[in-house]
Amino acid sequence: MSDVEIDQFVLLLTDFSAATKKDDKIIKAEMICVLSEYSDIVYVQSKLPFPFSNRDVCQRRFILSNKKHPELIESFGLPQKKSTAYFIFNEAIALEECPTPKGFERAKMYTLTVVEEHPTKPGAIKVTNVGQNDPGGSIPDSIINKMATKMS
């Protein structure tokens, strides 16, 4: 991505008020609570195509900047970067305030997204996303793998 301010990009990427407007597969996305300046709990409901049940996920999210939180970057053992970088962790959690509604299956998602200034292209951003997801329910592995391949 070129000519985008990294701070603005991360804000857009993590803004739930815009999520339902930009993605028609998201039924509901909301912040449940703020835990700290860099951590919160979020809840998302997603629409899946027939014959699958819709999914929901409750996650604790950490949004760390190497410029704003250098001590946390070091304590988590994350790579030290000279240029600006954000590390966004999402981990599935069980929470009483996030019960699975009727007609939904609870997904378990664990992701790390790294957003950084591109090392060789000034003014560009490099985004790396790694995740492990269990969509829940009784979807055969072959279909999950096929869906994951199409979505990536």
Side-chain angles (χ1 to χ4, degrees), residues 2-23:
S2 297
D3 298 325
V4 177
E5 292 289 326
I6 191 167
D7 296 327
Q8 292 299 317
F9 179 77
V10 169
L11 185 62
L12 181 64
L13 188 65
T14 58
D15 178 12
F16 280 103
S17 64
T20 53
K21 295 175 189 164
K22 64 183 174 185
D23 189 344

Side-chain angles (χ1 to χ4, degrees), residues 115-128:
V115 181
E116 61 187 308
E117 293 174 337
H118 199 286
T120 59
K121 298 178 184 172
I125 295 173
K126 178 181 174 188
V127 179
T128 306

Side-chain angles (χ1 to χ4, degrees), residues 25-42:
K25 291 175 186 62
I26 296 179
I27 299 167
K28 179 181 184 179
E30 64 183 349
M31 187 176 307
I32 300 300
C33 68
V34 175
L35 300 172
S36 71
E37 99 177 67
Y38 57 84
S39 181
D40 54 28
I41 295 176
V42 296

